[in-house]
């Protein structure tokens, strides 16, 4: 636990230090009759954004699961100073037409004309094999929930194309391992407030992550009758998604999307991958204060 706490503290300290080094010095103000706003007022101004709404979706999660599940839930996002808090469904809605918000707790480390670097924390809920319909899997050990630290690099390639790479590490030492996900995105604007995105993604994971999610140890094999399966690091997924996002008016925003994902390589050959190709769909509507 101590290494995990140290890693989390280092993540927060680094983001705070970089943010302070970047932006505390304000640019020269133009002549005006009103005095510049104090720093506390500026922070308060940045804390007034929030969004709340609802979404419905159909997916098989995690990838490789046979059961397609329908989910209905709330989506939300708000900002406190430099820190943002968002559910996954709100990631493209709070700042529609401006920039993307990572799910979980996030802050921006650096930003330029073409490059942005963000850090965030999120909860990985894990997996309980007793929830599976097939009783053969009930003897497998539970995949424990954990906190993941994420570092996301976004690069604008042109007016339409962008590239995103994200590293995600288990911070609590619960066999969550390391994941690297990269996506190439094409954005087509239909109007100032509406656009659609076509995204191509690929995922890599180290041996710890893949053994936890797709491997079967000797104990699990003995309890289930399934063959033992050891798996190392490697590329394990490809995905394709399409999403339409629109600011209906000043306050209301919505999205609709479709996706397909497929396991690759050794992960696809795992006895736990009962459905290598999965499809998803989602629809959401939310209110934002401004």
């Amino acid at each position: 636990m101590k290494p995990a706490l140290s890693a989390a503290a280092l993540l927060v300290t680094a983001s705070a230090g970089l943010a302070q080094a970047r932006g505390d010095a304000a640019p020269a103000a133009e002549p005006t009759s009103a005095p510049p706003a104090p720093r506390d007022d500026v922070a308060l101004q940045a804390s007034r954004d929030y969004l709340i709404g609802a979404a419905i979706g159909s997916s098989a999660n995690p990838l490789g699961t046979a059961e397609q599940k329908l989910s209905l839930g709330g989506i939300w996002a708000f900002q406190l100073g430099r820190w943002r808090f968002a559910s996954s469904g709100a990631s493209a809605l709070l700042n529609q037409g401006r920039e993307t918000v990572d799910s979980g707790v996030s802050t921006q480390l650096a930003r330029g004309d073409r490059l942005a670097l963000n850090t965030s924390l999120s909860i990985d809920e894990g997996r309980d094999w007793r929830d599976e319909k097939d009783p053969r899997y009930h003897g497998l050990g539970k995949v424990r929930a954990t906190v993941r630290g994420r570092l996301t690099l976004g690069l604008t390639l042109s007016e339409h194309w962008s590239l995103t790479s994200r590293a995600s590490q288990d911070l609590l030492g619960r066999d969550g391992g390391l994941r690297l996900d990269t996506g190439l995105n094409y954005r087509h604007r239909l109007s100032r407030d509406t656009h659609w995105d076509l995204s191509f993604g690929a995922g890599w994971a180290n041996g710890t992550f893949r053994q936890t999610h797709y491997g079967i140890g000797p104990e699990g094999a003995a309890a289930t009758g399934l063959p033992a399966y050891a798996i190392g690091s490697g590329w394990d997924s490809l995905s394709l998604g399409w999403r339409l996002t629109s600011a209906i008016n000043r306050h209301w925003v919505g999205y609709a999307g479709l996706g397909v994902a497929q396991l690759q390589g050794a992960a696809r050959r795992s006895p736990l991958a009962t459905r290598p190709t999965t499809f998803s769909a989602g629809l959401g509507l939310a209110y934002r204060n401004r």
Side-chain angles (χ1 to χ4, degrees):
M1 179 66 74
K2 289 184 179 179
L5 292 176
S6 300
L10 180 61
L11 181 68
V12 174
T13 303
S15 62
L18 283 171
Q20 184 176 7
R22 282 192 305 115
D24 285 347
E30 296 181 1
T32 176
S33 57
R39 287 180 57 192
D40 289 346
D41 290 346
V42 173
L44 180 62
Q45 180 80 9
S47 303
R48 292 176 180 172
D49 289 342
Y50 69 84
L51 173 145
I52 186 168
I56 185 171
S58 175
S59 65
N61 188 37
L63 183 58
T65 306
E67 185 180 1
Q68 193 84 6
K69 295 181 179 179
L70 185 67
S71 60
L72 175 64
I75 54 176
W76 50 266
F78 63 93
Q79 181 166 336
L80 295 175
R82 296 184 185 275
W83 295 94
R84 290 171 174 170
F85 302 78
S87 64
S88 58
S91 61
L93 299 180
L94 179 60
N95 286 339
Q96 162 65 0
R98 287 170 279 177
E99 59 185 277
T100 300
V101 181
D102 271 346
S103 59
V105 183
S106 64
T107 190
Q108 192 169 87
L109 299 180
R111 184 171 183 85
D113 292 338
R114 291 185 174 271
L115 184 145
L117 183 64
N118 300 300
T119 183
S120 60
L121 297 173
S122 67
I123 297 177
D124 187 337
E125 296 181 354
R127 184 176 187 178
D128 191 340
W129 290 98
R130 291 174 298 182
D131 296 335
E132 297 294 322
K133 291 183 177 180
D134 192 333
R136 292 183 304 163
Y137 299 115
H138 294 179
L140 295 173
K142 185 177 181 180
V143 179
R144 295 181 295 171
T146 190
V147 175
R148 303 192 70 88
R150 302 182 300 183
L151 191 65
T152 305
L153 176 67
L155 179 63
T156 300
L157 303 175
S158 68
E159 178 184 357
H160 294 286
W161 292 94
S162 62
L163 183 68
T164 301
S165 294
R166 173 178 291 159
S168 171
Q169 172 66 45
D170 171 18
L171 298 181
L172 300 183
R174 295 184 174 178
D175 299 322
L178 171 69
R179 274 202 66 84
L180 300 176
D181 292 285
T182 299
L184 180 64
N185 186 78
Y186 177 84
R187 173 165 294 184
H188 179 76
R189 292 197 174 277
L190 301 175
S191 69
R192 186 188 67 176
D193 299 321
T194 303
H195 67 265
W196 57 259
D197 293 293
L198 184 63
S199 302
F200 309 87
W204 178 97
N206 68 358
T208 301
F209 179 98
R210 302 219 304 172
Q211 184 64 32
T212 296
H213 291 273
Y214 302 110
I216 302 176
E219 293 182 0
T224 62
L226 295 170
Y229 192 75
I231 183 172
S233 60
W235 294 95
D236 59 17
S237 64
L238 291 174
S239 62
L240 174 67
W242 180 88
R243 175 164 166 153
L244 176 70
T245 307
S246 179
I248 301 168
N249 56 36
R250 179 181 175 185
H251 294 294
W252 289 95
V253 288
Y255 74 88
L258 300 170
V260 59
Q262 187 179 79
L263 284 176
Q264 302 294 312
R268 180 171 182 159
R269 296 190 294 271
S270 168
L272 304 181
T274 54
R275 189 179 174 189
T277 302
T278 58
F279 300 88
S280 61
L283 182 69
L285 180 67
Y287 174 89
R288 59 182 180 180
N289 61 321
R290 59 175 180 167

